[in-house]
Amino acid sequence: MKLYGYWRSSAAYRVRIALNLKQLSFENLPVHLVKNGGEQHSDSYKALNPAELVPTLVDGDFSLNQSLAIIEYLEEIYPQPALLPLEAGAKAQVRALALDIACDIHPLNNLRILQYLTGSLALTEQQKQQWILHWLHCGFTAFEQRLSASAGHFCFGDTVTLADICLIPQVYNALRFGLDMSPFPTINAVHHQCLQLAAFALAAPEHQPDAQ
């Protein structure tokens, strides 16, 4: 398998964690999102992923974009260790937690959104920072409340799930952008617990070959 990604991409980070948890070997192929005007805009990468986003997974003749779709594909092909509960209600709850991050929190501080804010909309760096912190705080406030009903050692009980895979890259972003994490003790506890696991630690941005 080949994974096209970027060291600091939250979405690629999610897929790296899942691959590591399932102990799957893969070739890490960097797509630099900033250099040369953004390598994701190159003709060769656009042919692979017309959305010009990372990650893209290539497994033989099969290729797939969207991190959650990739992880669910891996879950179907390599079901152990399971990243989703078996019971329908529990599975739906884990997916909802993952989507809280991937659909509602992450997109608002994604690179192309931030570039648009300071580019076409001509916001200052200070205004961009206010935007980032506002939406992170809103999203994490709701997520912290959800975890109060579901968390054990991890987001959903005492087993790593898709929800943890989505949360940890988002906490990385929050810390990078300087969000005050003190109002979120459950998120912090889950984050600490996950980082004790090799699969999460090895997937961290600073450990990637293209890290800068």
Side-chain angles (χ1 to χ4, degrees):
M1 283 186 287
K2 299 178 180 180
L3 179 65
Y4 292 83
Y6 177 60
W7 67 287
R8 214 158 57 182
S9 159
S10 299
Y13 190 174
R14 295 171 198 149
V15 177
R16 292 195 301 266
I17 294 169
L19 287 163
N20 290 344
L21 284 167
K22 292 182 178 291
Q23 299 184 22
L24 299 173
S25 60
F26 64 98
E27 183 180 0
N28 198 336
L29 298 173
V31 178
H32 203 290
L33 301 186
V34 180
K35 281 184 179 178
N36 305 315
E39 294 175 354
Q40 71 276 25
H41 305 307
S42 69
D43 289 340
S44 59
Y45 189 72
K46 280 195 290 185
L48 184 65
N49 187 339
E52 302 173 36
L53 296 169
V54 294
T56 301
L57 181 80
V58 177
D59 186 10
D61 295 331
F62 178 74
S63 66
L64 187 64
N65 69 313
Q66 288 295 348
S67 62
L68 268 62
I70 292 169
I71 294 168
E72 295 234 20
Y73 166 75
L74 297 174
E75 182 79 347
E76 293 284 344
I77 303 301
Y78 307 98
Q80 297 300 324
L83 303 177
L84 289 165
L86 291 177
E87 193 272 322
K91 185 181 293 185
Q93 285 180 287
V94 168
R95 284 191 173 121
L97 289 168
L99 291 169
D100 281 337
I101 299 288
C103 294
D104 291 340
I105 301 177
H106 171 239
L108 291 169
N109 56 74
N110 201 13
L111 177 63
R112 65 177 180 170
I113 302 301
L114 302 183
Q115 288 176 332
Y116 185 70
L117 290 177
T118 54
S120 298
L121 297 185
L123 269 62
T124 65
E125 286 297 320
Q126 182 180 7
Q127 288 172 318
K128 181 184 78 171
Q129 183 70 3
Q130 289 175 336
W131 166 281
I132 293 168
L133 296 181
H134 171 77
W135 292 116
L136 282 172
H137 188 271
C138 285
F140 273 15
T141 298
F143 199 82
E144 177 77 12
Q145 185 173 341
R146 293 189 194 282
L147 290 189
S148 68
S150 69
H153 292 306
F154 300 102
C155 285
F156 195 83
D158 293 328
T159 303
V160 171
T161 66
L162 181 61
D164 304 289
I165 290 172
C166 290
L167 176 61
I168 293 334
Q170 197 59 57
V171 174
Y172 174 88
N173 276 350
L175 294 172
R176 180 164 69 93
F177 291 130
L179 180 69
D180 177 11
M181 293 294 295
S182 60
F184 314 116
T186 311
I187 290 175
N188 289 332
V190 170
H191 178 252
H192 175 78
Q193 191 73 23
C194 287
L195 291 189
Q196 307 312 302
L197 303 177
F200 285 84
L202 291 172
E206 60 269 21
H207 294 148
Q208 305 317 302
D210 55 328
Q212 297 179 5

